[in-house]
Amino acid sequence: MYYIGIDLGGTNIAAGVVDENGKIIYKESTPTNRGRSYKEIIKDMSMLTLKVIKTASVSLSDIKSIGIGSPGTPNSKEGVLIYSNNLMFENVPMRVEMQKHIDLPVFLDNDANCAALAESVCGAAKDVQDSVTITLGTGVGAGIVIGGKVFSGFNNAASELGHTVIVSGGEKCTCGRKGCWEAYASATAIIRQTKRAAQENPESIINKLINGDLSKIDAKTAFDAARQNDKVGEKVVSQYIFYIAEGLINIINAIEPEMIAIGGGVSKEGEYLLKPLREFINEGTYCTQVAQTQIKVAQMGNDAGIIGAAMLGR
Amino acid sequence: MYYIGIDLGGTNIAAGVVDENGKIIYKESTPTNRGRSYKEIIKDMSMLTLKVIKTASVSLSDIKSIGIGSPGTPNSKEGVLIYSNNLMFENVPMRVEMQKHIDLPVFLDNDANCAALAESVCGAAKDVQDSVTITLGTGVGAGIVIGGKVFSGFNNAASELGHTVIVSGGEKCTCGRKGCWEAYASATAIIRQTKRAAQENPESIINKLINGDLSKIDAKTAFDAARQNDKVGEKVVSQYIFYIAEGLINIINAIEPEMIAIGGGVSKEGEYLLKPLREFINEGTYCTQVAQTQIKVAQMGNDAGIIGAAMLGR
């Protein structure tokens, strides 16, 4: 049997035929053209689905279900997308509308949960039952898997770990609170932290790396400076990794997953990120007499959305 | 059928015969005399168990299991108490030792988890499947119940919600981290906050309430001053409730329990605590388009330990 995974994003719709081990047989994508009605977008999703099934030379009767990973807050039980700021959707009946085009079971969850499920089925967390996948990007995305299944609370809105406060009264967050983990540990956060450090320390290598143009600072800049032994860059990186650790230790003390997988652009720093991160975590975790949570880099990359969505039906 | 619940504390051992609805038929307690060997203490636990069974006029064959709630970190699967600072126990084989005296199934969990299970079975959270019980006492205790069962992570060490940081770099916590929720939201914390406010504001009613003796400040003092419209007391209380809310919102955004029950001495302030707490929470929660977590006062009081321990075997 095969599963269809649809990664519905603000820019592109990606769909793939996925086998029961989470391997993509064939995938393709088409622009979302956000701003259109949900009926138009879901029609495109169904056409793309039929196209990938056909191109993969798979029969429709071999497809067990369609899974949709979407930004925003889903009601997974009802198959309704309650709200997505990104897609400008409110109370969209994804399942019912999709089934008007293709008569298959349709599952829905949010994109961060799908990414976590993908890591759990065939990625960094494939050998454990309980895991958390964190994506350090524009924001801090998070998905929780317990007993091999996505955990999202009684109302499907859980695992917004990026919006747990670690610095009460601190940096303003996009969600309205002050001091959220996302405001300290996202790629957006390290860019802000690097800019401030560059402005306060004109002598730093950071300013050379960007030719004095602050708009050129990205999430890698401070890491690049630190690798050239720039003290300012080292301090920015160390403080940033400490903030990531603060949130991870909170997750560990709260729910003790067997594995935390870290994805997103920043995770490409690999051991340069993970080594100090593990040191901070070892210092800060509460129960040291028991087995400890492992920290790994996420493995599924851009395919996580398709694979995780597909695995919703497994 | 009946269940034995044993609440093993640093001061007293309490044991009760509990029916399948969580009602205590008979209970009794005996001093722990902490510092003795685990064999002596467990022998006392078994003798107390046999005594309550006899006094309750129940036959041993009507008892389905014995549950033990203990401070510290248990390995519930193996029935071993890994570590308890309070009892000075390390790797104590509670189940095996108990079964030397009474041949019944023995379950073990920590006291905060037992309190949460008691609220879930027959207390504030009895109508929901997913709940969190918080106890605001010397520390901040927490237990998580998911699907009617205690959730404690892959290594039984989870739900240390008191040791999640809300003020990175803030007040030193007993666990070694800085800025834990416990250091801002426990009874100990409001006592410290009230003392500071009293010292900084000699004119405050707080100083009258304690006759100028700072050692008389307890967790109620600032609430009492606030009820007399003392501005300093009002400020301490409002800030304290905000800190409680910061941790609760973090729990909601992370795991979205259907209910959070709040116990411990501070919870006796009732609506004087809950009303502003709910206002802070409404402002700070992330997903407002879905059903919201309810906040209630815990109902089980001192019996929570016995009842929750008993229900481990249900």
Side-chain angles (χ1 to χ4, degrees):
Chain A
M1 293 300 279
Y2 297 97
Y3 304 81
I4 299 298
I6 301 176
D7 181 5
L8 172 59
T11 309
N12 287 304
I13 303 163
V17 179
V18 179
D19 73 14
E20 58 194 8
N21 299 315
K23 196 176 160 239
I24 295 179
I25 307 299
Y26 181 74
K27 67 175 177 178
E28 204 166 308
S29 73
T30 186
T32 307
N33 292 328
R34 169 168 66 160
R36 293 187 296 158
S37 76
Y38 75 81
K39 284 178 187 280
E40 289 174 284
I41 289 176
I42 294 174
K43 193 178 174 198
D44 282 1
M45 286 162 59
S46 70
M47 284 169 60
L48 185 66
T49 297
L50 294 171
K51 193 174 170 200
V52 293
I53 292 172
K54 193 175 171 193
T55 316
S57 302
V58 170
S59 149
L60 192 60
S61 61
D62 288 334
I63 306 290
K64 204 169 168 194
S65 60
I66 299 172
I68 303 168
S70 157
T73 306
N75 179 331
S76 301
K77 207 175 155 191
E78 306 292 334
V80 172
L81 186 55
I82 305 286
Y83 180 75
S84 165
N85 180 46
N86 190 335
L87 295 168
M88 298 173 268
F89 278 5
E90 217 175 311
N91 288 313
V92 168
M94 304 290 286
R95 175 182 295 153
V96 168
E97 189 64 25
M98 194 72 189
Q99 286 175 333
K100 285 183 186 168
H101 303 285
I102 307 175
D103 184 25
L104 277 173
V106 173
F107 298 92
L108 172 69
D109 214 322
N110 84 21
D111 42 12
N113 288 345
C114 289
L117 188 57
E119 292 299 332
S120 172
V121 170
C122 47
K126 70 170 185 279
D127 297 326
V128 305
Q129 284 290 300
D130 298 359
S131 60
V132 170
T133 297
I134 301 294
T135 307
L136 305 175
T138 310
V140 171
I144 301 173
V145 173
I146 296 177
K149 287 185 178 173
V150 168
F151 173 81
S152 55
F154 89 105
N155 58 5
N156 281 290
S159 76
E160 289 292 352
L161 300 171
H163 300 291
T164 55
V165 158
I166 64 161
V167 184
S168 184
E171 300 273 3
K172 205 163 168 16
C173 181
T174 55
C175 77
R177 292 182 88 187
K178 282 182 182 170
C180 284
W181 190 31
E182 172 164 309
Y184 290 84
S186 60
T188 313
I190 193 176
I191 291 170
R192 182 174 56 235
Q193 292 152 8
T194 308
K195 272 187 190 165
R196 281 184 195 155
Q199 285 173 305
E200 286 163 13
N201 301 278
E203 80 292 356
S204 163
I205 289 177
I206 293 172
N207 288 298
K208 279 185 203 144
L209 291 172
I210 56 167
N211 288 320
D213 178 358
L214 291 176
S215 72
K216 284 187 182 162
I217 286 175
D218 62 22
K220 271 181 86 258
T221 312
F223 282 95
D224 289 341
R227 266 185 286 262
Q228 294 183 35
N229 302 315
D230 178 56
K231 294 292 167 214
V232 176
E234 283 172 2
K235 203 174 153 192
V236 170
V237 166
S238 176
Q239 180 68 56
Y240 173 67
I241 294 176
F242 177 75
Y243 285 134
I244 298 175
E246 287 284 70
L248 295 181
I249 299 167
N250 281 357
I251 296 168
I252 292 168
N253 286 352
I255 60 173
E256 294 279 354
E258 191 162 358
M259 168 81 69
I260 297 178
I262 301 174
V266 176
S267 71
K268 290 181 185 142
E269 303 291 339
E271 282 301 311
Y272 201 85
L273 169 77
L274 290 189
K275 191 169 171 288
L277 195 54
R278 289 198 189 100
E279 285 167 8
F280 284 131
I281 290 170
N282 286 342
E283 274 171 40
T285 40
Y286 186 70
C287 294
T288 53
Q289 299 87 357
V290 294
Q292 299 295 299
T293 301
Q294 298 173 64
I295 312 288
K296 278 194 183 173
V297 169
Q299 296 172 354
M300 306 306 295
N302 292 333
D303 289 337
I306 292 176
I307 295 169
M311 293 297 98
L312 290 172
R314 202 177 68 154
Chain B
M1 293 301 279
Y2 297 97
Y3 304 82
I4 300 297
I6 301 175
D7 181 6
L8 172 59
T11 310
N12 287 305
I13 303 164
V17 180
V18 179
D19 74 11
E20 58 193 9
N21 299 315
K23 194 174 161 241
I24 295 179
I25 307 299
Y26 182 73
K27 66 175 178 179
E28 205 166 307
S29 73
T30 187
T32 307
N33 292 327
R34 171 167 64 160
R36 294 186 294 159
S37 77
Y38 75 81
K39 284 179 189 277
E40 288 174 285
I41 288 175
I42 294 174
K43 194 178 172 197
D44 282 1
M45 288 162 58
S46 71
M47 284 169 59
L48 186 65
T49 298
L50 293 172
K51 193 174 170 201
V52 294
I53 292 173
K54 195 177 169 192
T55 315
S57 302
V58 169
S59 150
L60 192 60
S61 62
D62 288 334
I63 306 289
K64 204 168 170 194
S65 59
I66 298 171
I68 302 168
S70 158
T73 306
N75 179 331
S76 301
K77 206 174 156 191
E78 306 292 335
V80 172
L81 186 55
I82 304 287
Y83 180 74
S84 164
N85 179 45
N86 191 336
L87 296 168
M88 297 172 267
F89 278 5
E90 218 175 309
N91 288 315
V92 168
M94 305 289 285
R95 175 181 295 153
V96 168
E97 189 64 25
M98 193 73 187
Q99 286 176 332
K100 285 184 186 167
H101 304 284
I102 307 175
D103 184 24
L104 277 173
V106 172
F107 298 92
L108 173 70
D109 214 323
N110 84 22
D111 43 12
N113 288 345
C114 289
L117 188 57
E119 293 298 332
S120 171
V121 170
C122 48
K126 70 169 186 279
D127 296 326
V128 305
Q129 284 290 299
D130 297 0
S131 60
V132 171
T133 297
I134 301 294
T135 306
L136 305 175
T138 310
V140 171
I144 301 172
V145 172
I146 296 177
K149 288 186 176 171
V150 168
F151 173 81
S152 55
F154 89 104
N155 58 6
N156 282 289
S159 76
E160 290 292 352
L161 299 172
H163 299 292
T164 55
V165 158
I166 64 160
V167 184
S168 184
E171 299 273 2
K172 204 163 170 14
C173 181
T174 54
C175 78
R177 293 181 88 186
K178 282 182 183 171
C180 284
W181 190 32
E182 171 164 310
Y184 290 85
S186 61
T188 313
I190 191 176
I191 292 169
R192 182 173 57 235
Q193 292 153 10
T194 308
K195 272 188 190 166
R196 280 185 196 154
Q199 286 174 304
E200 287 164 12
N201 302 277
E203 80 292 357
S204 164
I205 290 177
I206 294 172
N207 288 298
K208 282 184 202 146
L209 290 173
I210 56 167
N211 289 319
D213 179 357
L214 291 175
S215 73
K216 286 189 181 160
I217 287 175
D218 63 22
K220 271 182 85 259
T221 312
F223 282 94
D224 290 340
R227 267 186 284 262
Q228 295 183 34
N229 302 315
D230 179 56
K231 294 291 165 217
V232 176
E234 283 172 1
K235 203 174 154 191
V236 170
V237 167
S238 175
Q239 180 69 58
Y240 174 67
I241 295 175
F242 177 75
Y243 285 134
I244 298 175
E246 287 285 70
L248 294 182
I249 300 167
N250 281 357
I251 295 168
I252 293 168
N253 286 353
I255 60 174
E256 294 279 353
E258 191 163 358
M259 168 81 67
I260 298 179
I262 300 175
V266 177
S267 70
K268 289 178 187 145
E269 303 292 338
E271 283 300 312
Y272 201 86
L273 170 77
L274 289 189
K275 192 171 170 285
L277 195 54
R278 289 199 189 101
E279 285 167 8
F280 283 132
I281 290 171
N282 286 341
E283 275 171 39
T285 40
Y286 186 69
C287 293
T288 52
Q289 299 87 358
V290 294
Q292 300 295 299
T293 302
Q294 297 173 63
I295 312 289
K296 279 194 184 173
V297 169
Q299 296 172 353
M300 305 307 294
N302 292 332
D303 289 338
I306 292 176
I307 295 170
M311 294 296 99
L312 290 172
R314 203 176 68 153

